[in-house]
Amino acid sequence: MTPDSSTVLQILHNRGPLTPDEIYLLLDSSGPWLYSNISYLRRNGWIVAELPKEIENSNGVFPDTKISITEKGKEALYDHLNREKIERKISIRYWITTGISLVALAVAIISIVLQFQ
C-alpha cells in the first residue's frame, strides 16, 4: 500500500463515505493521483463506490460518486499502520545502537590518544 492510498483510506475511515471532490478538499491538493489510488483501492476490494444501477459494473469513479471503506479496507489500514509503527520502532532502535557504538568508538580513540601522551 502506498502512502497516498493509506491516506485516502484513513480519510474514509475517519469521515465516512465521501466523494473524490470532498477528498480533494480535505487533502488540500489536486492532481490525477487520487483517481489512480481510488482505482487501486477498488481493485483490492478495500473501498466500494456507490454507483447507480445502470453503471454499477463500471470501473470508473466519477466526481460525485460516494466512496466508502469496506471491512477488508479497515483491516488493510490497521495492518499498514501497525507495520509502520513496528518499522519506526525498529529504526529508532537501530539509531540508538549506532549512537552507542559511535560513543564507544570515540571513547576508545580518546583512550588510545591519552595513552601515548
Coordinates of all heavy atoms in Angstrom, one line a residue, residues 43-116:
R43 N -9.8 -2.1 -6.8 CA -9.4 -3.4 -7.3 C -9.1 -4.4 -6.2 O -9.3 -5.6 -6.3 CB -8.1 -3.2 -8.2 CG -8.4 -2.9 -9.6 CD -7.2 -3.0 -10.5 NE -6.0 -2.4 -10.0 CZ -5.6 -1.1 -10.2 NH1 -6.4 -0.4 -11.0 NH2 -4.5 -0.7 -9.7
N44 N -8.5 -3.8 -5.1 CA -8.2 -4.7 -3.9 C -9.4 -5.0 -3.0 O -9.3 -5.7 -2.1 CB -7.1 -4.1 -3.1 CG -5.7 -4.2 -3.8 OD1 -5.4 -5.3 -4.3 ND2 -5.0 -3.1 -4.0
G45 N -10.5 -4.3 -3.3 CA -11.7 -4.5 -2.5 C -11.7 -3.8 -1.2 O -12.4 -4.1 -0.3
W46 N -10.8 -2.8 -1.1 CA -10.7 -2.0 0.2 C -11.7 -0.9 0.3 O -12.0 -0.4 1.4 CB -9.3 -1.5 0.3 CG -8.3 -2.6 0.5 CD1 -8.5 -3.9 0.9 CD2 -6.9 -2.5 0.2 NE1 -7.4 -4.6 0.9 CE2 -6.3 -3.8 0.5 CE3 -6.1 -1.5 -0.3 CZ2 -5.0 -4.1 0.3 CZ3 -4.7 -1.8 -0.4 CH2 -4.2 -3.1 -0.1
I47 N -12.2 -0.4 -0.9 CA -13.3 0.6 -0.9 C -14.4 0.1 -1.8 O -14.1 -0.7 -2.7 CB -12.8 2.0 -1.3 CG1 -12.2 2.0 -2.7 CG2 -11.8 2.5 -0.3 CD1 -11.9 3.3 -3.2
V48 N -15.5 0.7 -1.6 CA -16.6 0.4 -2.5 C -17.3 1.8 -3.0 O -17.4 2.7 -2.2 CB -17.7 -0.5 -1.9 CG1 -18.3 0.1 -0.7 CG2 -18.7 -1.0 -2.9
A49 N -17.6 1.8 -4.3 CA -18.2 3.0 -4.8 C -19.7 2.8 -4.9 O -20.1 1.8 -5.4 CB -17.6 3.4 -6.1
E50 N -20.5 3.8 -4.5 CA -21.9 3.7 -4.6 C -22.3 4.3 -5.9 O -22.6 5.5 -6.1 CB -22.5 4.5 -3.4 CG -22.1 3.9 -2.0 CD -22.5 4.9 -0.9 OE1 -23.2 5.9 -1.1 OE2 -22.1 4.6 0.2
L51 N -22.4 3.4 -6.9 CA -22.8 3.8 -8.3 C -24.2 3.5 -8.6 O -24.8 2.6 -8.0 CB -21.9 3.0 -9.3 CG -20.4 3.2 -9.2 CD1 -19.7 2.2 -10.1 CD2 -20.1 4.6 -9.6
P52 N -24.8 4.3 -9.5 CA -26.2 4.0 -9.9 C -26.3 2.6 -10.6 O -25.3 2.1 -11.1 CB -26.5 5.1 -10.9 CG -25.5 6.2 -10.6 CD -24.3 5.5 -10.1
K53 N -27.4 2.0 -10.6 CA -27.6 0.7 -11.2 C -27.1 0.5 -12.6 O -26.5 -0.5 -13.0 CB -29.1 0.2 -11.1 CG -29.6 0.0 -9.7 CD -29.2 -1.3 -9.2 CE -29.8 -1.5 -7.8 NZ -29.1 -2.5 -7.0
E54 N -27.4 1.5 -13.4 CA -27.0 1.4 -14.9 C -25.5 1.4 -15.1 O -25.1 0.9 -16.1 CB -27.7 2.5 -15.7 CG -27.4 3.9 -15.2 CD -28.4 4.4 -14.2 OE1 -29.3 3.7 -13.8 OE2 -28.3 5.6 -13.8
I55 N -24.7 1.9 -14.2 CA -23.3 1.9 -14.4 C -22.6 1.1 -13.2 O -21.4 1.3 -13.0 CB -22.7 3.3 -14.5 CG1 -23.0 4.1 -13.3 CG2 -23.1 3.9 -15.8 CD1 -22.3 5.5 -13.3
E56 N -23.3 0.2 -12.6 CA -22.8 -0.5 -11.4 C -21.6 -1.3 -11.7 O -20.7 -1.4 -10.9 CB -23.9 -1.4 -10.8 CG -23.6 -1.9 -9.5 CD -24.8 -2.6 -8.9 OE1 -25.0 -3.8 -9.2 OE2 -25.6 -1.9 -8.2
N57 N -21.5 -1.9 -12.9 CA -20.3 -2.7 -13.2 C -19.1 -1.9 -13.8 O -18.1 -2.5 -14.1 CB -20.7 -3.8 -14.2 CG -21.7 -4.8 -13.6 OD1 -21.7 -5.0 -12.4 ND2 -22.6 -5.3 -14.4
S58 N -19.3 -0.6 -13.8 CA -18.2 0.2 -14.3 C -17.0 0.3 -13.3 O -17.2 0.2 -12.1 CB -18.7 1.6 -14.6 OG -17.7 2.5 -14.8
N59 N -15.8 0.4 -13.9 CA -14.6 0.5 -13.0 C -14.3 2.0 -12.8 O -13.5 2.3 -12.0 CB -13.4 -0.1 -13.7 CG -13.5 -1.6 -13.6 OD1 -14.1 -2.2 -12.7 ND2 -12.9 -2.3 -14.5
G60 N -15.1 2.9 -13.5 CA -14.8 4.3 -13.3 C -15.3 4.9 -12.0 O -16.2 4.3 -11.4
V61 N -14.8 6.0 -11.6 CA -15.2 6.7 -10.5 C -15.4 8.1 -10.9 O -14.6 8.7 -11.6 CB -14.2 6.6 -9.3 CG1 -14.7 7.5 -8.2 CG2 -14.0 5.2 -8.8
F62 N -16.6 8.7 -10.6 CA -16.9 10.0 -11.1 C -16.9 11.0 -9.9 O -16.9 10.6 -8.7 CB -18.3 10.0 -11.7 CG -18.5 8.9 -12.8 CD1 -19.1 7.7 -12.5 CD2 -17.9 9.1 -14.0 CE1 -19.1 6.7 -13.5 CE2 -18.0 8.2 -15.0 CZ -18.6 7.0 -14.7
P63 N -16.7 12.3 -10.2 CA -16.5 13.2 -9.1 C -17.6 13.2 -8.0 O -17.4 13.6 -6.9 CB -16.5 14.6 -9.8 CG -16.1 14.3 -11.2 CD -16.6 12.9 -11.5
D64 N -18.9 12.8 -8.4 CA -20.0 12.8 -7.4 C -20.3 11.4 -6.9 O -21.3 11.2 -6.2 CB -21.2 13.4 -8.1 CG -21.7 12.7 -9.3 OD1 -20.9 11.9 -9.8 OD2 -22.8 12.9 -9.7
T65 N -19.4 10.5 -7.1 CA -19.6 9.1 -6.6 C -19.2 9.0 -5.1 O -18.1 9.4 -4.8 CB -18.7 8.1 -7.4 OG1 -19.0 8.2 -8.8 CG2 -18.9 6.7 -6.9
K66 N -20.1 8.5 -4.3 CA -19.8 8.4 -2.9 C -18.9 7.1 -2.8 O -19.2 6.1 -3.3 CB -21.0 8.2 -2.1 CG -21.8 9.5 -1.9 CD -21.1 10.3 -0.8 CE -22.0 11.5 -0.5 NZ -21.4 12.3 0.5
I67 N -17.8 7.2 -2.0 CA -16.9 6.1 -1.8 C -16.8 5.8 -0.3 O -16.8 6.8 0.5 CB -15.5 6.5 -2.3 CG1 -15.5 6.8 -3.8 CG2 -14.5 5.4 -2.1 CD1 -14.3 7.5 -4.3
S68 N -16.9 4.6 0.1 CA -16.8 4.2 1.5 C -15.8 3.1 1.6 O -15.5 2.3 0.7 CB -18.1 3.9 2.1 OG -18.7 2.8 1.4
I69 N -15.2 2.9 2.8 CA -14.3 1.9 3.1 C -15.0 0.6 3.5 O -16.0 0.7 4.2 CB -13.3 2.4 4.2 CG1 -12.1 1.4 4.4 CG2 -14.0 2.6 5.5 CD1 -11.0 1.9 5.3
T70 N -14.4 -0.5 3.1 CA -15.0 -1.8 3.5 C -14.3 -2.4 4.7 O -13.3 -1.8 5.2 CB -14.8 -2.8 2.3 OG1 -13.5 -3.0 2.1 CG2 -15.5 -2.3 1.0
E71 N -14.8 -3.5 5.2 CA -14.2 -4.1 6.4 C -12.8 -4.6 6.0 O -11.8 -4.5 6.8 CB -15.0 -5.3 6.9 CG -16.3 -4.9 7.6 CD -16.0 -4.0 8.8 OE1 -15.0 -4.3 9.6 OE2 -16.7 -3.0 9.0
K72 N -12.7 -5.1 4.8 CA -11.4 -5.5 4.3 C -10.4 -4.4 4.2 O -9.2 -4.5 4.5 CB -11.5 -6.2 2.9 CG -10.3 -6.8 2.3 CD -10.6 -7.4 1.0 CE -9.4 -8.0 0.3 NZ -9.6 -8.5 -1.0
G73 N -10.9 -3.2 3.8 CA -10.1 -2.0 3.8 C -9.7 -1.5 5.2 O -8.5 -1.1 5.4
K74 N -10.6 -1.7 6.2 CA -10.2 -1.3 7.5 C -9.1 -2.2 8.0 O -8.2 -1.8 8.7 CB -11.4 -1.4 8.4 CG -12.4 -0.3 8.2 CD -13.7 -0.5 9.1 CE -14.7 0.5 8.8 NZ -15.9 0.3 9.6
E75 N -9.2 -3.5 7.7 CA -8.2 -4.5 8.2 C -6.8 -4.2 7.5 O -5.8 -4.2 8.2 CB -8.6 -5.9 7.8 CG -9.7 -6.4 8.6 CD -10.2 -7.8 8.2 OE1 -9.5 -8.5 7.4 OE2 -11.3 -8.2 8.6
A76 N -6.9 -3.8 6.2 CA -5.6 -3.5 5.5 C -5.0 -2.2 6.1 O -3.8 -2.1 6.2 CB -5.9 -3.3 4.0
L77 N -5.9 -1.2 6.4 CA -5.4 0.0 7.0 C -4.8 -0.2 8.4 O -3.7 0.2 8.7 CB -6.5 1.0 7.1 CG -6.2 2.4 7.8 CD1 -5.2 3.1 6.9 CD2 -7.5 3.2 7.9
Y78 N -5.4 -1.0 9.2 CA -4.9 -1.4 10.5 C -3.5 -2.1 10.4 O -2.6 -1.8 11.1 CB -5.8 -2.2 11.4 CG -7.1 -1.5 11.8 CD1 -8.3 -2.1 11.8 CD2 -7.1 -0.1 12.1 CE1 -9.5 -1.4 12.2 CE2 -8.2 0.6 12.5 CZ -9.4 -0.1 12.5 OH -10.5 0.6 12.9
D79 N -3.5 -3.1 9.5 CA -2.2 -3.8 9.2 C -1.1 -2.8 8.8 O 0.0 -2.9 9.2 CB -2.4 -4.9 8.2 CG -3.2 -6.1 8.7 OD1 -3.4 -6.2 9.9 OD2 -3.7 -6.9 7.9
H80 N -1.5 -1.9 7.9 CA -0.5 -1.0 7.4 C 0.0 -0.1 8.5 O 1.3 0.1 8.6 CB -1.1 -0.2 6.2 CG -0.2 0.9 5.7 ND1 0.9 0.6 4.9 CD2 -0.1 2.2 5.8 CE1 1.6 1.7 4.6 NE2 0.9 2.7 5.1
L81 N -0.9 0.4 9.3 CA -0.5 1.3 10.4 C 0.4 0.6 11.4 O 1.3 1.1 12.0 CB -1.7 2.0 11.0 CG -2.5 2.9 10.1 CD1 -3.7 3.4 10.9 CD2 -1.6 4.1 9.7
N82 N 0.0 -0.7 11.7 CA 0.8 -1.5 12.7 C 2.2 -1.7 12.1 O 3.2 -1.7 12.9 CB 0.1 -2.8 13.0 CG -1.1 -2.6 13.9 OD1 -1.1 -1.6 14.7 ND2 -2.0 -3.5 13.9
R83 N 2.3 -2.0 10.8 CA 3.6 -2.2 10.2 C 4.4 -1.0 10.3 O 5.7 -1.0 10.5 CB 3.4 -2.7 8.8 CG 3.8 -4.1 8.6 CD 3.8 -4.6 7.1 NE 2.4 -4.9 6.8 CZ 1.7 -4.2 5.8 NH1 2.2 -3.3 5.1 NH2 0.5 -4.6 5.6
E84 N 3.8 0.2 10.0 CA 4.6 1.4 10.1 C 5.1 1.7 11.6 O 6.2 2.1 11.7 CB 3.7 2.6 9.7 CG 3.5 2.8 8.3 CD 2.7 4.1 7.9 OE1 2.1 4.6 8.8 OE2 2.8 4.5 6.7
K85 N 4.3 1.4 12.6 CA 4.7 1.5 14.0 C 5.9 0.6 14.3 O 6.9 1.1 14.9 CB 3.6 1.2 14.9 CG 2.5 2.3 15.1 CD 1.5 1.8 16.1 CE 0.3 2.8 16.2 NZ -0.7 2.3 17.1
I86 N 5.8 -0.6 13.8 CA 6.9 -1.6 14.1 C 8.2 -1.1 13.4 O 9.3 -1.1 14.0 CB 6.5 -3.0 13.6 CG1 5.4 -3.5 14.6 CG2 7.7 -3.9 13.6 CD1 4.7 -4.8 14.1
E87 N 8.1 -0.7 12.1 CA 9.2 -0.2 11.4 C 9.8 1.0 12.0 O 11.1 1.2 12.1 CB 8.9 0.1 9.9 CG 8.6 -1.1 9.1 CD 8.1 -0.8 7.7 OE1 8.0 0.4 7.4 OE2 7.7 -1.8 7.0
R88 N 9.0 1.9 12.6 CA 9.5 3.1 13.2 C 10.3 2.7 14.5 O 11.3 3.3 14.8 CB 8.3 4.0 13.6 CG 8.7 5.4 14.0 CD 7.6 6.4 14.2 NE 6.6 6.3 13.1 CZ 5.3 6.0 13.3 NH1 4.8 5.8 14.5 NH2 4.5 6.0 12.3
K89 N 9.7 1.8 15.3 CA 10.4 1.3 16.5 C 11.7 0.7 16.2 O 12.7 0.9 16.9 CB 9.5 0.4 17.3 CG 8.4 1.0 17.9 CD 7.5 0.0 18.7 CE 6.3 0.7 19.3 NZ 5.4 -0.3 19.9
I90 N 11.8 -0.1 15.1 CA 13.0 -0.8 14.7 C 14.0 0.2 14.3 O 15.2 0.1 14.6 CB 12.7 -1.8 13.6 CG1 12.0 -3.0 14.2 CG2 14.0 -2.3 12.9 CD1 11.5 -4.0 13.1
S91 N 13.6 1.2 13.5 CA 14.6 2.2 13.0 C 15.1 3.0 14.2 O 16.3 3.4 14.3 CB 14.0 3.1 12.0 OG 13.0 4.0 12.5
I92 N 14.3 3.3 15.2 CA 14.7 4.1 16.4 C 15.8 3.2 17.1 O 16.8 3.7 17.6 CB 13.5 4.4 17.3 CG1 12.7 5.5 16.6 CG2 14.0 4.9 18.7 CD1 11.4 5.8 17.3
R93 N 15.5 1.9 17.2 CA 16.4 1.0 17.9 C 17.8 1.0 17.2 O 18.8 1.0 17.8 CB 15.8 -0.4 18.0 CG 16.6 -1.3 18.9 CD 15.9 -2.6 19.1 NE 15.9 -3.3 17.8 CZ 15.2 -4.4 17.5 NH1 14.4 -4.9 18.5 NH2 15.3 -5.0 16.4
Y94 N 17.7 1.0 15.9 CA 19.0 1.0 15.1 C 19.7 2.2 15.3 O 21.0 2.2 15.4 CB 18.7 0.7 13.6 CG 18.3 -0.7 13.2 CD1 17.4 -0.9 12.2 CD2 18.8 -1.8 13.9 CE1 17.0 -2.2 11.9 CE2 18.4 -3.1 13.6 CZ 17.5 -3.3 12.6 OH 17.2 -4.5 12.2
W95 N 19.1 3.4 15.3 CA 19.7 4.7 15.5 C 20.4 4.7 16.9 O 21.5 5.2 17.1 CB 18.8 5.8 15.3 CG 18.6 6.1 13.9 CD1 17.5 5.9 13.1 CD2 19.6 6.7 13.0 NE1 17.7 6.3 11.8 CE2 19.0 6.8 11.7 CE3 20.9 7.2 13.1 CZ2 19.7 7.3 10.6 CZ3 21.6 7.7 12.0 CH2 21.0 7.8 10.8
I96 N 19.7 4.2 17.9 CA 20.2 4.2 19.3 C 21.4 3.3 19.4 O 22.5 3.7 19.9 CB 19.1 3.8 20.3 CG1 18.1 4.9 20.4 CG2 19.8 3.4 21.7 CD1 16.9 4.4 21.3
T97 N 21.4 2.2 18.7 CA 22.5 1.2 18.7 C 23.7 1.9 18.0 O 24.9 1.8 18.4 CB 22.1 -0.1 18.0 OG1 21.0 -0.6 18.7 CG2 23.3 -1.1 18.0
T98 N 23.4 2.6 16.9 CA 24.5 3.2 16.1 C 25.1 4.3 17.0 O 26.4 4.5 17.0 CB 24.0 3.8 14.8 OG1 23.4 2.8 14.0 CG2 25.1 4.5 14.0
G99 N 24.3 5.1 17.7 CA 24.8 6.2 18.6 C 25.7 5.6 19.7 O 26.8 6.2 20.0
I100 N 25.3 4.5 20.3 CA 26.1 3.9 21.4 C 27.4 3.4 20.8 O 28.4 3.6 21.5 CB 25.3 2.8 22.0 CG1 24.1 3.3 22.8 CG2 26.2 1.9 22.9 CD1 23.1 2.3 23.3
S101 N 27.4 2.8 19.7 CA 28.6 2.3 19.1 C 29.6 3.5 18.7 O 30.8 3.4 18.9 CB 28.4 1.4 17.9 OG 27.8 2.1 16.9
L102 N 29.0 4.6 18.2 CA 29.9 5.7 17.9 C 30.5 6.4 19.2 O 31.6 6.8 19.2 CB 29.1 6.8 17.2 CG 28.7 6.4 15.7 CD1 27.8 7.5 15.1 CD2 30.0 6.3 14.9
V103 N 29.7 6.4 20.3 CA 30.2 6.9 21.5 C 31.3 5.9 22.0 O 32.4 6.4 22.5 CB 29.1 7.0 22.6 CG1 29.7 7.2 24.0 CG2 28.2 8.1 22.2
A104 N 31.2 4.6 21.9 CA 32.2 3.7 22.3 C 33.4 3.8 21.5 O 34.6 3.8 22.0 CB 31.6 2.3 22.2
L105 N 33.3 4.1 20.2 CA 34.4 4.3 19.3 C 35.2 5.6 19.7 O 36.4 5.6 19.8 CB 34.0 4.4 17.8 CG 35.0 4.7 16.8 CD1 36.1 3.5 16.8 CD2 34.4 5.0 15.5
A106 N 34.4 6.6 20.0 CA 35.1 7.9 20.4 C 35.8 7.7 21.7 O 37.0 8.2 21.9 CB 34.0 9.0 20.6
V107 N 35.3 7.0 22.7 CA 35.9 6.7 23.9 C 37.2 5.9 23.7 O 38.2 6.2 24.3 CB 35.0 6.0 24.9 CG1 35.7 5.5 26.1 CG2 33.9 7.0 25.4
A108 N 37.1 4.9 22.8 CA 38.3 4.1 22.5 C 39.4 4.9 21.9 O 40.6 4.8 22.3 CB 37.9 2.9 21.6
I109 N 39.1 5.8 21.0 CA 40.1 6.7 20.3 C 40.7 7.6 21.3 O 41.9 7.8 21.4 CB 39.4 7.4 19.1 CG1 39.1 6.4 18.0 CG2 40.3 8.5 18.6 CD1 38.3 7.0 16.9
I110 N 39.9 8.2 22.2 CA 40.4 9.1 23.2 C 41.3 8.4 24.2 O 42.4 8.9 24.5 CB 39.2 9.8 24.0 CG1 38.5 10.8 23.0 CG2 39.7 10.5 25.2 CD1 37.2 11.3 23.6
S111 N 41.0 7.2 24.6 CA 41.9 6.5 25.5 C 43.2 6.1 24.8 O 44.2 6.1 25.5 CB 41.2 5.2 26.1 OG 41.0 4.3 25.1
I112 N 43.2 5.8 23.5 CA 44.4 5.4 22.8 C 45.3 6.7 22.7 O 46.5 6.7 22.9 CB 44.1 4.8 21.4 CG1 43.5 3.4 21.6 CG2 45.3 4.8 20.6 CD1 43.0 2.9 20.3
V113 N 44.7 7.8 22.4 CA 45.4 9.1 22.3 C 46.0 9.5 23.6 O 47.2 9.9 23.7 CB 44.5 10.2 21.7 CG1 45.2 11.5 21.8 CG2 44.2 9.9 20.3
L114 N 45.3 9.3 24.7 CA 45.8 9.7 26.0 C 46.9 8.7 26.5 O 47.7 9.1 27.3 CB 44.6 9.7 27.0 CG 43.6 10.8 26.8 CD1 42.5 10.7 27.9 CD2 44.3 12.2 27.0
Q115 N 46.9 7.5 26.0 CA 48.0 6.6 26.4 C 49.3 7.0 25.9 O 50.4 6.7 26.5 CB 47.7 5.2 25.9 CG 46.7 4.4 26.8 CD 46.4 3.0 26.2 OE1 46.9 2.7 25.1 NE2 45.7 2.2 27.0
F116 N 49.3 7.6 24.7 CA 50.6 8.0 24.1 C 51.0 9.4 24.5 O 52.0 9.9 23.9 CB 50.5 7.8 22.6 CG 50.4 6.4 22.2 CD1 49.3 5.9 21.6 CD2 51.5 5.5 22.4 CE1 49.2 4.6 21.2 CE2 51.4 4.2 22.0 CZ 50.2 3.7 21.4

